[in-house]
Each structure stands twice: as C-alpha cells, then as structure tokens.
Amino acid sequence: MQDPSAAPDGQVADAVKGNWVDTTAPAWSRPFLRLSRADRPIGTWLLLLPCWWGLVLAMIHDGQASWHDLWIAVGCGLGAWLMRGAGCTWNDISDRDYDGKVDRTRSRPIPSGQVTVRGAIIWMCIQSLLAFGILLTFNRAAIAMGVLALLPVTIYPYAKRFTWWPQIFLGLAFNWGAMLAWAAHSGTLHAPAILLYAAGIAWTLFYDTIYAHQDTEDDALIGIKSTARLFGTNTSKWLRRFLMATVGLMGLAVIYAALPNASVLAMVLALAGPWAMGWHMAWQLRGLDIEDSAKLLQLFRVNRDTGMIPLLFFVAALLA
C-alpha cells in the first residue's frame, strides 16, 4: 500500500462528504475502509433490509419469536456490513482495469494506488472469515444458504461484461439475505421467502438502474453493459414495471406469510408495507432526471428509506 499522503486526502468521488472514514478513522485504516465502502453506507442498508424483511415475515408466518431472533437481527447487521465490504473489495479487485477509466470510480483505493491488489485480497479474506464466524452461530439451513450466497457474489462483478442485465445478478446477491434470515428463524425455506427474494430483486433492478445512469457515457466508451444503457430514454417505463413487480411480489409474500397465524389487523398492516413502498418508489420516479448525476445519486441513496418502509409495517403487524 502506498503512503496515504501520496493521495492528498484519498476521498472517493461519490462518498458522502464529511463521512466518518475521512474525518475520524485512523489514517492507516482509511484506504481499506474506503475499499469496503464504509464511507458510503447505503449499500450496507440495501443488503441488510431484505434480511430483516425475511426475519420479521418468518416470525409472522409461524407466530413465534424468541431472543435468538434478536441475535439473528444483530448478526445480519454485522454480517451485512462485513459481506458488503468483502463483496465490494472483490468487485474492485475484479474491476481494477475498468475503474481507472471511469470518472466516478478512478478515485477508488486500487486504481488510485492507495491499496495494492495483494492488500485488497488479504482484506477481503479477513472480512469474509469474520462474517463466516457470525454465520456459524445460525442453524444449518442458514449456514448452507450463506455458503450458497458466494455464487452470485462471485459472478456479479463479471456480469456487466457478458449481459445487459448485470443488475439482476446484483439483485440475486443483495437480496439473498431475505431467504437466509427466514431460514435462520424457521430452519427451512417456505414460498413466502422466495417471493420476498423475487420482490427484492425487482427493487434492486429499480434502484441500481437509477444508479447506473451516472456512468452511461463512460460505460459506453469501455464496453460495460447495464440496464441503464439498455433502457436509455425508456428508463422510466421500465422502472414502473420494476415498481409494480416489487409491490406485487412482496404483497404475495405477505399474504402467504400471514395467512397461517396472523390476525386480520396484522394482515392489513403487513400489506400496507409494500403499498407504501410502492408510493415511495413512485415519488422517486417523479423526480427522475437521467441526465442529472447529482439527482441520480440522491435518488439512489433514498432507497434506504424505501426499504425501511415495509419493515416498519411488518414489525407493526408482528406486534398487532
């Protein structure tokens, strides 16, 4: 690793200004934390929220809750932070020859010289091993799901080289926690968990298409594919389809999860979750401008709130 002083402040271009990594983290740790996107927490939220959806819906499904479920929620939080970091590190290792050619990504730690590829590999392994240690505290079904999750995580960085739909592969990886957390609670998978997983994938297609529009010009120059490039000026039409798929699939997941044990009030509260989420996604569409990079980044980041909305309704239904 180069001396951090070689890059004046080392801040990544699309990081939140004044974030804790750039202002308070020890100088030696900053390049590695930036590699993990710790200066851009939105990705951790987008990975974590489907886990919490799956956990709460699983409790609604069987009508049971225990103190171990609290640990599952905490463990998912820690695991999401670690695995998001490991996944981003793997992504940057895989994309190191591309990131230096894109304005938004050339300031990342590997292309900017803050971290060597060898250092990045070691850091990725450390994060992965810590996450695996947390996974081992769950049941066998969840452990198996966690191991299987490595497949979409490994493939995703390469997807944009062979398909116009890399966002699907991101969705497969980022929403896996919906099934893992369900299995951690229930010991097995049920249909609602799979429907919830599919809803999350549709949501990922929605927000990551918005995000990808920041790089369409650079991506075209270097031959990187994305749904943003594929849809172009028809993006709004496709985003509406993803919105409807998200709401519809999540609504079905709620119905199948709540039917066995939930009261009518709990069912209504739980169904209000995807409905309210859909309205928040529609609000994003009204402000969409695919030519305004700052607005695109702002809309992408508000998807933390989008994903939090159904969670709050699910929790209310659980307590009803």
Side-chain angles (χ1 to χ4, degrees):
M1 186 185 74
Q2 291 184 354
D3 185 340
S5 63
D9 58 16
Q11 186 176 41
V12 177
D14 58 354
V16 177
K17 303 304 180 185
N19 67 79
W20 72 276
V21 172
D22 294 332
T23 56
T24 61
W28 64 267
S29 70
R30 291 176 186 174
F32 295 101
L33 291 172
R34 290 169 183 144
L35 198 59
S36 298
R37 311 288 199 273
D39 52 349
R40 285 154 286 170
I42 178 60
T44 300
W45 282 109
L46 296 175
L47 185 63
L48 173 59
L49 287 167
C51 300
W52 284 350
W53 296 347
L55 175 60
V56 179
L57 274 189
M59 288 189 279
I60 292 173
H61 179 70
D62 63 17
Q64 299 179 23
S66 69
W67 285 108
H68 184 61
D69 291 313
L70 179 60
W71 165 244
I72 294 173
V74 173
C76 284
L78 296 172
W81 193 88
L82 289 165
M83 284 310 297
R84 190 260 181 144
C88 288
T89 304
W90 170 242
N91 185 80
D92 283 9
I93 292 169
S94 304
D95 284 353
R96 61 188 183 277
D97 294 330
Y98 291 94
D99 284 346
K101 301 174 183 177
V102 177
D103 284 340
R104 187 179 58 82
T105 59
R106 64 167 50 103
S107 58
R108 288 178 176 175
I110 294 178
S112 66
Q114 297 178 62
V115 178
T116 64
V117 173
R118 180 175 180 273
I121 292 172
I122 293 171
W123 178 234
M124 178 182 67
C125 291
I126 290 171
Q127 294 172 97
S128 299
L129 288 172
L130 289 171
F132 185 63
I134 294 170
L135 182 65
L136 290 177
T137 67
F138 295 166
N139 58 35
R140 290 182 180 179
I143 293 171
M145 291 298 300
V147 173
L148 286 173
L150 294 176
L151 182 61
V153 170
T154 302
I155 294 174
Y156 167 66
Y158 299 98
K160 54 183 168 286
R161 306 176 195 186
F162 63 80
T163 177
W164 287 100
W165 294 83
Q167 280 69 26
I168 288 181
F169 288 86
L170 181 66
L172 291 170
F174 255 58
N175 296 281
W176 197 271
M179 297 188 296
L180 191 155
W182 183 290
H185 170 85
S186 302
T188 187
L189 280 180
H190 299 95
I194 298 170
L195 287 167
L196 190 65
Y197 179 51
I201 293 171
W203 178 43
T204 301
L205 280 161
F206 180 89
Y207 66 66
D208 204 60
T209 297
I210 293 174
Y211 184 76
H213 264 289
Q214 297 175 89
D215 300 328
T216 50
E217 292 184 6
D218 287 330
D219 286 350
L221 289 173
I222 60 179
I224 293 296
K225 299 178 174 67
S226 71
T227 50
R229 286 189 62 205
L230 178 64
F231 302 154
T233 56
N234 290 321
T235 290
S236 291
K237 182 188 298 183
W238 280 95
L239 293 183
R240 289 189 188 93
R241 293 170 180 169
F242 299 145
L243 185 163
M244 290 186 289
T246 302
V247 174
L249 289 165
M250 187 178 289
L252 287 173
V254 168
I255 291 170
Y256 283 113
L259 276 177
N261 294 294
S263 65
V264 174
L265 175 60
M267 175 72 83
V268 170
L269 285 171
L271 281 173
W275 178 82
M277 182 182 187
W279 276 107
H280 196 269
M281 294 168 74
W283 168 79
Q284 291 182 56
L285 276 176
R286 287 197 293 272
L288 181 69
D289 180 355
I290 62 173
E291 302 298 331
D292 186 341
S293 293
K295 185 65 174 180
L296 290 167
L297 184 58
Q298 178 192 12
L299 289 176
F300 169 71
R301 287 174 174 167
V302 300
N303 275 276
R304 181 202 63 176
D305 300 338
T306 310
M308 190 70 73
I309 289 169
L311 177 65
L312 295 175
F313 280 98
F314 295 167
V315 170
L318 180 65
L319 298 174

